[in-house]
Amino acid sequence: MSTNGDRAFPTPSVRRLPIYLSLLRRLYRDGLESVSSTKIADELGLTGIQVRKDLSMTGIVGRPKVGHSISELIEHIEGFLGWDKRRQAFLVGAGHLGAALLGYKGFAQENLDIIASFDTSPEKIGKVILGRMTYDLAEFVAMTKKHHVQMAILTVPASCAQDVTNLMVDAGIIGIWNFAPVQLSAPPHIIIENVSLSSSLAILSQKLTQREAQTRGKSEEKS
Amino acid sequence: MSTNGDRAFPTPSVRRLPIYLSLLRRLYRDGLESVSSTKIADELGLTGIQVRKDLSMTGIVGRPKVGHSISELIEHIEGFLGWDKRRQAFLVGAGHLGAALLGYKGFAQENLDIIASFDTSPEKIGKVILGRMTYDLAEFVAMTKKHHVQMAILTVPASCAQDVTNLMVDAGIIGIWNFAPVQLSAPPHIIIENVSLSSSLAILSQKLTQREAQTRGKSEEKS
């Protein structure tokens, strides 16, 4: 028995794969058939070593002189990410952010299909938002089991995010894409990926604040 | 002259600060006045050492026996992040994601005020979306200079993200919060923070795909 399947790949490398895909698709549209890792590195401001390491993670064998076939690279990366197969997901929380994700066109390329959304608000239940029906959250468990859905997108307020997470776990959801600004607790077999707008804003605000303090310091020195 | 202002703080620590804030505000609402770093660590599943390191970054002096005053902690963290002062920002790209950010209530607590949005689409220009006027992108440079805005949120399609970035730089924007799925080029003094939905989805999809392969492997072994 191989234990390879248990291996956790480095997060920064996996995060870079969509950026490679985006570049490779552009080069392919421009009529190119092959590309070297050095060229990829130059285009993306990375080192050649980093690019070769990232690509080899997906099972691609390097070809130093010839370069890689672009269509093969795309195929490998998509396969590694599971973007070569259609994945169905439910969305819980049909507010502004939920609607934005329902309307996000980029997911088509990533083969993500948000098939329905759920909410507890009587004004939203039964409404079709951007082509997807909004169901009563009370139907979530039954619907998840019926459609064998394994992934759910969480766009509810922080205050009810943990309760909805518990419901998702009970329903058999395995992967939760969490947009609520809260740390969720879940059994270890559940995969949680957080998109924290607050954390991202914190990084930007802190740097801007620091920059402003420097600028003030410099102008005080001059005066 | 101090060079302290040039110091880059560790990204994972800065990313955790909003999570501390959220916990501290809850404890404060519950009537608590002080808290130890050990209690914070327990609540958030971190180590005490990590919490003490993160908090000391904001300039808080540890008080081992007494614990920290919660209101002082909140003040320090907010000050460090610049969330104690109102920050104005412009948003460019009034599509679904742009509207979601205009409607996101969490930003009030972070003192971020998106004062207007910009677009090139004639159907959107002149419309008020969630209380904010949508202006013609052609007015961006003049408006940015007039209102001394330093931060902009980029929610345009990938294909025009670089052109809009160039415009932002010309207008004097210093901090760009980028939601477009593309690596932007900008002069070194520009602060760019990327929210990459594709990269986050890549992490979740890859783990789900790996899990499914394992499950298939195990059921094949059994049969």
Side-chain angles (χ1 to χ4, degrees):
Chain A
M1 190 177 121
S2 156
T3 55
N4 221 3
D6 291 323
R7 200 170 128 203
F9 296 98
T11 303
S13 294
V14 180
R15 289 187 74 87
R16 272 192 291 270
L17 293 179
I19 299 165
Y20 293 132
L21 268 183
S22 163
L23 170 69
L24 292 166
R25 285 179 186 137
R26 178 162 65 77
L27 297 177
Y28 193 77
R29 277 197 306 272
D30 291 350
L32 262 75
E33 287 186 1
S34 69
V35 67
S36 67
S37 45
T38 315
K39 158 98 171 156
I40 296 176
D42 287 348
E43 287 269 351
L44 300 176
L46 300 166
T47 67
I49 295 171
Q50 193 58 68
V51 172
R52 281 186 282 278
K53 198 187 132 206
D54 291 349
L55 294 180
S56 75
M57 174 180 74
T58 69
I60 290 160
V61 182
R63 292 189 297 174
K65 300 267 167 176
V66 214
H68 294 280
S69 146
I70 292 179
S71 60
E72 268 179 42
L73 276 181
I74 292 175
E75 228 172 84
H76 263 274
I77 297 174
E78 286 182 341
F80 181 76
L81 296 175
W83 290 358
D84 55 337
K85 289 187 221 63
R86 187 164 160 267
R87 182 179 297 283
Q88 295 189 320
F90 281 150
L91 181 141
V92 180
H96 289 301
L97 186 58
L101 296 178
L102 290 173
Y104 188 67
K105 286 177 193 128
F107 293 151
Q109 207 160 32
E110 290 148 13
N111 248 325
L112 178 66
D113 188 8
I114 309 175
I115 53 175
S117 66
F118 294 82
D119 208 291
T120 54
S121 154
E123 299 101 72
K124 286 174 190 159
I125 295 167
K127 293 259 160 67
V128 175
I129 302 175
L130 294 152
R132 269 73 116 233
M133 175 58 79
T134 314
Y135 293 94
D136 188 336
L137 186 60
E139 297 178 54
F140 185 82
V141 175
M143 292 270 291
T144 301
K145 291 184 175 170
K146 187 179 163 197
H147 294 276
H148 307 287
V149 173
Q150 299 201 301
M151 173 176 162
I153 304 173
L154 188 62
T155 48
V156 301
S159 54
C160 56
Q162 185 59 54
D163 287 345
V164 174
T165 300
N166 299 346
L167 183 80
M168 286 176 172
V169 172
D170 289 346
I173 291 292
I174 294 177
I176 299 175
W177 203 12
N178 174 37
F179 287 77
V182 65
Q183 293 279 97
L184 302 174
S185 306
H189 72 282
I190 304 294
I191 304 162
I192 296 178
E193 168 65 17
N194 298 299
V195 176
S196 171
L197 292 186
S198 294
S199 291
S200 178
L201 180 59
I203 301 280
L204 181 60
S205 304
Q206 190 273 322
K207 287 181 185 165
L208 269 170
T209 303
Q210 195 175 10
R211 175 75 53 85
E212 284 157 358
Q214 281 168 22
T215 312
R216 267 198 308 278
K218 275 181 198 158
S219 57
E220 276 161 24
E221 256 172 56
K222 277 183 203 159
S223 63
Chain B
M1 190 178 123
S2 157
T3 55
N4 221 5
D6 291 323
R7 202 171 127 202
F9 296 98
T11 302
S13 294
V14 180
R15 289 187 76 88
R16 271 192 292 271
L17 294 179
I19 299 165
Y20 292 131
L21 268 184
S22 162
L23 171 69
L24 292 166
R25 286 179 186 139
R26 178 163 66 76
L27 297 176
Y28 193 77
R29 277 197 305 273
D30 291 351
L32 263 74
E33 288 186 358
S34 69
V35 67
S36 67
S37 45
T38 316
K39 159 96 172 157
I40 295 176
D42 288 349
E43 286 269 350
L44 299 177
L46 299 166
T47 67
I49 296 171
Q50 192 59 69
V51 172
R52 281 185 284 278
K53 196 187 134 209
D54 291 349
L55 294 181
S56 75
M57 175 180 72
T58 70
I60 290 158
V61 182
R63 293 189 298 175
K65 299 266 165 176
V66 214
H68 294 281
S69 147
I70 291 178
S71 58
E72 269 179 42
L73 276 182
I74 292 175
E75 228 170 85
H76 262 275
I77 297 173
E78 286 182 342
F80 182 76
L81 295 176
W83 288 359
D84 55 337
K85 288 188 224 57
R86 185 162 160 268
R87 182 179 296 283
Q88 295 189 321
F90 281 149
L91 182 142
V92 179
H96 290 300
L97 185 57
L101 296 178
L102 290 173
Y104 188 66
K105 286 177 193 131
F107 293 151
Q109 208 160 31
E110 291 148 13
N111 249 325
L112 177 66
D113 189 8
I114 309 175
I115 52 175
S117 66
F118 293 82
D119 209 290
T120 53
S121 154
E123 299 101 72
K124 286 175 191 158
I125 294 166
K127 293 259 160 67
V128 176
I129 301 175
L130 295 151
R132 267 75 115 234
M133 175 57 80
T134 314
Y135 293 93
D136 188 334
L137 186 61
E139 297 178 53
F140 185 81
V141 175
M143 293 268 292
T144 301
K145 291 185 175 171
K146 185 179 164 198
H147 294 275
H148 306 286
V149 173
Q150 299 199 303
M151 174 178 161
I153 305 174
L154 187 62
T155 49
V156 300
S159 54
C160 54
Q162 185 60 54
D163 287 344
V164 175
T165 300
N166 299 346
L167 184 77
M168 287 177 171
V169 172
D170 288 344
I173 290 290
I174 295 175
I176 300 176
W177 203 11
N178 173 36
F179 286 77
V182 65
Q183 293 279 97
L184 302 174
S185 307
H189 72 282
I190 304 293
I191 304 162
I192 296 178
E193 169 65 18
N194 298 298
V195 176
S196 171
L197 292 185
S198 294
S199 290
S200 177
L201 180 60
I203 301 279
L204 182 60
S205 304
Q206 190 274 322
K207 288 182 184 165
L208 269 169
T209 303
Q210 194 174 13
R211 177 74 53 85
E212 285 157 356
Q214 280 169 22
T215 313
R216 267 198 308 279
K218 274 179 195 158
S219 60
E220 274 161 24
E221 258 172 55
K222 276 182 201 158
S223 64

